[in-house]
Amino acid sequence: MLIFKALHILSMFAAVTFLIGEALFYAVAIWRGDVAGLAAVRRLVGGRPVVGVLFLVAGIVFGVLAALIGGFSLFGGWLIAAYVLVVALFLVNGSPWVQRLPRLGLEAIEAEAGERPREDVVAAMASVRTGILVAVGLNVALFAALIIDMVLKPF
């Protein structure tokens, strides 16, 4: 059980690092209206947060294994709270604002290459600025709530 618990913790820390890091970099570039910064984030991250999501899924699998082997009830209140928080994370990250990020990053790359007017990208960044800020804030809050739930097991 201890190995699955350790793998769960390590996977989740990696997932939070990758997923929140990516979101923060996107948000800062968009907030500043920095087309070159947004293009750089898109080039570094790629189209989708594959590594972060893989760590998140691995963490979920290791967590379920740790719970099953460790004798925890999969229907304990703290685990049900965790399930709800994970579903909320997927819903937030499936939102139009978050789903727009890779396309907007690609538009920034095109603007840097002279294939698209830079002003169009800046305008698009301004139009999603508030939504991105809310999505990033929700992501941080949801991950923090998950961590608190896992550590304190309040229910």
Side-chain angles (χ1 to χ4, degrees), residues 56-138:
L56 181 64
V57 171
I60 291 168
V61 169
F62 291 135
V64 169
L65 289 171
L68 288 172
I69 293 170
F72 292 106
S73 167
L74 292 178
F75 301 106
W78 64 280
L79 282 174
I80 291 173
Y83 307 149
V84 170
L85 290 168
V86 168
V87 168
L89 272 170
F90 280 106
L91 290 174
V92 167
N93 288 290
S95 72
W97 299 288
V98 175
Q99 293 302 307
R100 176 85 171 100
L101 291 177
R103 288 189 310 263
L104 190 56
L106 189 56
E107 291 171 13
I109 291 171
E110 292 169 353
E112 278 200 319
E115 300 168 359
R116 175 183 297 276
R118 191 174 199 87
E119 299 77 30
D120 290 355
V121 178
V122 171
M125 291 165 77
S127 73
V128 298
R129 185 175 288 146
T130 302
I132 294 302
L133 186 62
V134 169
V136 170
L138 284 172

